[in-house]
Amino acid sequence: MSPTAARITAVDTYDVRFPTSRELDGSDAMNPDPDYSAAYVVLRGDTADCPEGHGFTFTIGRGNDVQVAAIEALRGHVVGRSVEELCADPGSLARDLIGDSQLRWLGPEKGVMHMAIGAVVNAVWDLAAKRAGKPLWQLLADAEPEWLVRQVDFRYLTDALTPDEALELLRRGRQGAAERATALRENGFPAYTTSPGWLGYSDEKLTRLAAEAVTDGFTQIKLKVGADLTDDVRRCRVARSVVGPGIRIAIDANQRWNVDEAIDWTRALAEFDPYWIEEPTSPDDVLGHAAVRKAVAPVKVATGEHVHNRIVFKQLLQAGAIDILQIDAARVAGVNENLAILLLAAKFGVPVCPHAGGVGLCELVQHLSMFDFVALSGTTDDRVIEYVDHLHDHFLDPVVIRQGHYTAPTAPGFSATMRPESIAEFTYPGGTFWAADLARQESDTQKGEAA
Amino acid sequence: MSPTAARITAVDTYDVRFPTSRELDGSDAMNPDPDYSAAYVVLRGDTADCPEGHGFTFTIGRGNDVQVAAIEALRGHVVGRSVEELCADPGSLARDLIGDSQLRWLGPEKGVMHMAIGAVVNAVWDLAAKRAGKPLWQLLADAEPEWLVRQVDFRYLTDALTPDEALELLRRGRQGAAERATALRENGFPAYTTSPGWLGYSDEKLTRLAAEAVTDGFTQIKLKVGADLTDDVRRCRVARSVVGPGIRIAIDANQRWNVDEAIDWTRALAEFDPYWIEEPTSPDDVLGHAAVRKAVAPVKVATGEHVHNRIVFKQLLQAGAIDILQIDAARVAGVNENLAILLLAAKFGVPVCPHAGGVGLCELVQHLSMFDFVALSGTTDDRVIEYVDHLHDHFLDPVVIRQGHYTAPTAPGFSATMRPESIAEFTYPGGTFWAADLARQESDTQKGEAA
């Protein structure tokens, strides 16, 4: 059987959970105790030479099983498809999944079902990039503008961006792309770090990690805020005194506030010169973000990690509600929808600074920013990708940070492949870590009852 | 054991699916073949005299299992709770469910997880109304304004509606409530019917059902549009000629269009004097709806059945994007969030005309409109509840329509209880209907292979 005859024969899922809540890594004003998790999917073909396609939805623990069930509900759309046709046009699968008229009722285009579609579509892109022998950013940067435009679903977008405008943006983006690809391979893409700023960390840990961040070459750090104003004032003062005036400090409220609170709280922290306020209020509140932005300037407003689709991003741009657009690689319906969002940002001239962290989000999203730089926006000015130093070792092709920059991946694929031994250890509840942990809890309970 | 000591001991779920796609009932431009389904939940207490609380999420088939899994993910928050405390303050459970920091990541407040919360919260209200010996509309209408305000989560709302304003609206709503309750019991609440207008029906069936609707006392009907403009022109002409000029005809595009298409298509149907255009574009597109409304007046713009939470409704009102607000009883996080939405509508002076149909949506939502009439808006002017004559027989306390009006329920509860024999027959895939159906399909496949 020739490689071109390969078909998808299996859509395997895994409920992978890491016990991160025990260290307070990732704690913020809305998420005090996340267990970083992945509803993980592997597409397998029926020929020995067909690479696997890997993808996942990031969650923070409970509900990862619901997310896995949602991915499994898509299996019938994928099994039996020609691998060659899938890879030649991932957009056609994305459209079929989004357009399933019965599943659509569960969104539309939002929440658990939409993220499940993102996991499957991203797995197809991983497969396509592996087959092409290129890292995904390069596959996208090498693609014809006409083909890229066909990968975008323009439904509900044409009042802000037409296919013709998208084509024009992509054609312009190709000018100088080869030089930028060379520069990217030499210098990488700028990163910022959230590692110093988790709410659960002491001032001592904040001080040490902020100083390390500067030493490591980062020019921006981020602090979580929003639980207690007195604490926030103290922590912002500590951070500013450690990093000095030349380093940007972003602050992140993780949706904690009403609109009025967001304005008052941000103004109260303005003396520490925050670069942006991130997620000041509900990610659904376009008009609320617009009101906050107007009131807190020159502090910039950033959002996006929980913005559920391109239609909300369109409105955030139309309403002038954000200064910084934060894509997430695994929240929307995969690469195709993020391509739409990158095009919208380019049209409106708003810089894209992706959300990352969690499990594998850094690995994925770097490819999208690198494509954006090489073949769309053409610049890294005011562009930074979030970096958090958690859980990278669980991936076969982990991100590499040098002097505050993401190094351009060279391995074929989307950097999405988790190590098989990590999946075996952290699959919930039957993996070796959780089986032992649950047995220990059971034993402790019995001892408690006996005592 | 006294009744007050009762605790919830079981959260039982059922994947109930009706094979409605075989008759093209419910077909529209986005949903050609729905199998009306319910992810159904029953709360059971540990005492013999504790009523059961019933609730559900409505879906249209595939994915109903994902919705059931989401309800099951909430079980740990409910089992062990005091029935008395739950019923005295359903809002505290609603807040705990919405606030679960790990599950929240799967939304926040949207899609599968949010609808699951709605099913559980509505089941608590069913239980509370049964214990109080009142239909839900009456329990709400009899409640103290101060208590009702505490049932509302004002997070992300205070820039449009404060608790003090809500209290004032509810206090004003009590004036004359007793007289309106009497009028409601005598006359019922106005309905309109969608039964004539499904896309899959022939012109003959449309003609017959539209004429019947007028004979039956309805003053408004609704037609599905958006698949083919020539067909829509013909069907609108047929309908208008049947019902005459005095009956309102609403048209419903079920999100089929981009903003520009919505404007052009609605204008093309304007000669038939449509009363409202429903769901002209994406339910997420607040600014899009505002643009459509501005362009198609005096045709009114209606939306809401897929609006996923109070925050989007708030913006639709703030932006002046809708003339008619369409709540759905089972899309948002239950009675508590719908209370917030009714208060927002009252504040902005926009009439509420609920979405209903499907499985059990009529049964549920009538209670909310009746409360709104008796104790909040105080009027039925320009208010109508959607009515579709499907699947009511599966409920113990089905809606009763007389002369185009919903009759006020008198049985205690939320009218949510499905007949046990219907659950046994239509549970998927093991119920008697589906087991036989799947066996028949299997047998047909084998015959086909043998032939």
Side-chain angles (χ1 to χ4, degrees), chain A residues 30 46 53 112 120 125 134 149 152 292 296 314 350 381 422:
Chain A
M30 292 296 264
D46 57 359
V112 167
V120 172
W125 283 96
K134 296 178 181 182
V149 167
V152 171
V292 172
V296 305
K314 176 188 76 166
V350 168
D381 291 354
S422 294

Side-chain angles (χ1 to χ4, degrees), chain B residues 237-412:
Chain B
R237 179 170 290 126
V238 166
R240 179 56 78 200
S241 75
V242 172
V243 302
I247 300 289
R248 288 176 174 171
I249 300 177
I251 56 175
D252 183 357
N254 291 89
Q255 314 167 22
R256 182 64 182 246
W257 302 316
N258 289 349
V259 171
D260 293 345
E261 287 175 288
I263 292 169
D264 294 345
W265 204 298
T266 304
R267 285 179 172 164
L269 298 174
E271 63 173 303
F272 307 107
D273 190 24
Y275 181 59
W276 76 52
I277 172 64
E278 178 172 334
E279 291 202 299
T281 190
S282 164
D284 295 341
D285 200 345
V286 172
L287 301 179
H289 276 83
V292 172
R293 182 176 179 232
K294 206 170 162 186
V296 305
V299 179
K300 296 179 188 296
V301 169
T303 201
E305 72 179 79
H306 269 99
V307 169
H308 57 268
N309 63 31
R310 69 199 179 286
I311 305 153
V312 181
F313 276 116
K314 176 188 76 167
Q315 294 174 85
L316 286 164
L317 294 165
Q318 288 174 316
I322 53 173
D323 299 282
I324 309 282
L325 189 153
Q326 300 178 299
I327 57 169
D328 179 286
R331 169 77 46 189
V332 301
V335 171
N336 301 76
E337 188 161 17
N338 266 319
L339 199 50
I341 296 163
L342 292 174
L343 285 161
L344 283 164
K347 162 88 186 283
F348 284 83
V350 169
V352 174
C353 298
H355 169 251
V359 180
L361 296 179
C362 299
E363 276 68 20
L364 295 186
V365 87
Q366 61 179 339
H367 290 273
L368 302 176
S369 275
M370 291 176 187
F371 155 73
D372 184 40
F373 166 53
V374 172
L376 181 52
S377 74
T379 178
T380 58
D381 290 355
D382 291 331
R383 270 85 173 164
V384 275
I385 306 172
E386 184 167 22
Y387 172 66
V388 189
D389 61 358
H390 297 157
L391 305 175
H392 300 290
D393 293 347
H394 297 292
F395 288 86
L396 280 181
D397 182 28
V399 295
V400 177
I401 303 291
R402 286 205 195 109
Q403 272 301 105
H405 286 65
Y406 278 80
T407 306
T410 55

Side-chain angles (χ1 to χ4, degrees), chain A residues 21 30-35 58-67 69-70 73 77 100-113 115 154-159 254-260 281-288 305-306 308-309 311-312 314-315 318-319 331 355, chain B residues 21 30-35 58-67 69-70 73 77 100-113 115 154-159 254-260 281-288 305-306 308-309 311-312 314-315 318-319 331 355:
Chain A
S21 63
M30 292 296 264
N31 310 299
D33 57 351
D35 284 324
F58 169 60
T59 83
I60 61 174
R62 282 184 296 281
N64 205 48
D65 48 340
V66 180
Q67 195 60 52
H77 283 283
D100 180 308
S101 65
Q102 295 189 352
L103 293 176
R104 189 178 183 279
W105 192 268
L106 302 179
E109 302 195 50
K110 58 179 64 72
V112 167
M113 276 317 309
M115 293 194 288
F154 286 90
R155 175 167 272 185
Y156 307 134
L157 292 189
T158 53
D159 54 326
N254 289 90
Q255 313 166 24
R256 181 65 183 245
W257 302 315
N258 289 349
V259 171
D260 294 345
T281 190
S282 164
D284 295 341
D285 199 345
V286 172
L287 301 179
E305 71 180 78
H306 269 98
H308 56 268
N309 64 31
I311 305 152
V312 183
K314 176 188 76 166
Q315 294 173 83
Q318 288 174 315
R331 169 77 47 188
H355 169 250
Chain B
S21 63
M30 292 296 263
N31 310 297
D33 57 351
D35 284 324
F58 169 62
T59 84
I60 60 173
R62 283 185 295 282
N64 205 46
D65 49 338
V66 179
Q67 194 60 52
H77 283 283
D100 180 307
S101 65
Q102 295 188 353
L103 294 176
R104 190 179 182 279
W105 191 267
L106 302 179
E109 302 194 50
K110 59 180 63 74
V112 168
M113 276 317 308
M115 294 194 286
F154 285 91
R155 176 168 271 185
Y156 307 135
L157 292 189
T158 54
D159 54 328
N254 291 89
Q255 314 167 22
R256 182 64 182 246
W257 302 316
N258 289 349
V259 171
D260 293 345
T281 190
S282 164
D284 295 341
D285 200 345
V286 172
L287 301 179
E305 72 179 79
H306 269 99
H308 57 268
N309 63 31
I311 305 153
V312 181
K314 176 188 76 167
Q315 294 174 85
Q318 288 174 316
R331 169 77 46 189
H355 169 251

Side-chain angles (χ1 to χ4, degrees), chain A residues 93-297:
Chain A
L93 176 67
R95 259 178 270 251
D96 286 351
L97 297 178
I98 291 169
D100 180 308
S101 65
Q102 295 189 352
L103 293 176
R104 189 178 183 279
W105 192 268
L106 302 179
E109 302 195 50
K110 58 179 64 72
V112 167
M113 276 317 309
H114 204 54
M115 293 194 288
I117 292 171
V120 172
V121 169
N122 280 345
V124 170
W125 283 96
D126 181 56
L127 175 55
K130 284 173 179 166
R131 284 180 93 239
K134 296 178 181 182
L136 181 74
W137 69 265
Q138 191 187 338
L139 180 145
L140 292 171
D142 290 348
E144 291 299 325
E146 291 76 6
W147 183 83
L148 286 171
V149 167
R150 286 198 303 274
Q151 292 305 305
V152 171
D153 182 355
F154 286 90
R155 175 167 272 185
Y156 307 134
L157 292 189
T158 53
D159 54 326
L161 178 74
T162 66
D164 283 348
E165 288 172 327
L167 186 60
E168 178 56 32
L169 288 165
L170 287 162
R171 284 183 177 152
R172 212 182 308 154
R174 294 205 95 175
Q175 295 162 20
E179 293 74 19
R180 287 192 295 277
T182 303
L184 175 71
R185 288 195 184 90
E186 281 176 15
N187 309 321
F189 194 101
Y192 76 93
T193 176
T194 304
S195 294
W198 301 108
L199 272 193
Y201 288 180
S202 66
D203 288 1
E204 289 67 30
K205 193 164 183 180
L206 164 59
T207 300
R208 176 168 56 78
L209 294 175
E212 279 178 22
V214 177
T215 307
D216 290 346
F218 291 99
T219 57
Q220 178 175 326
I221 66 170
K222 188 163 80 184
L223 263 58
K224 300 292 183 174
V225 299
D228 180 279
L229 181 56
T230 310
D231 285 348
D232 289 348
V233 167
R234 194 189 68 251
R235 294 169 63 252
C236 284
R237 179 170 289 125
V238 165
R240 179 55 78 200
S241 75
V242 171
V243 303
I247 300 289
R248 288 176 174 170
I249 300 178
I251 56 175
D252 182 356
N254 289 90
Q255 313 166 24
R256 181 65 183 245
W257 302 315
N258 289 349
V259 171
D260 294 345
E261 288 176 287
I263 293 169
D264 294 344
W265 204 300
T266 304
R267 285 178 173 164
L269 298 175
E271 63 173 303
F272 307 108
D273 189 23
Y275 180 60
W276 76 53
I277 172 67
E278 178 172 334
E279 290 203 301
T281 190
S282 164
D284 295 341
D285 199 345
V286 172
L287 301 179
H289 277 83
V292 172
R293 181 175 179 232
K294 205 169 162 187
V296 305

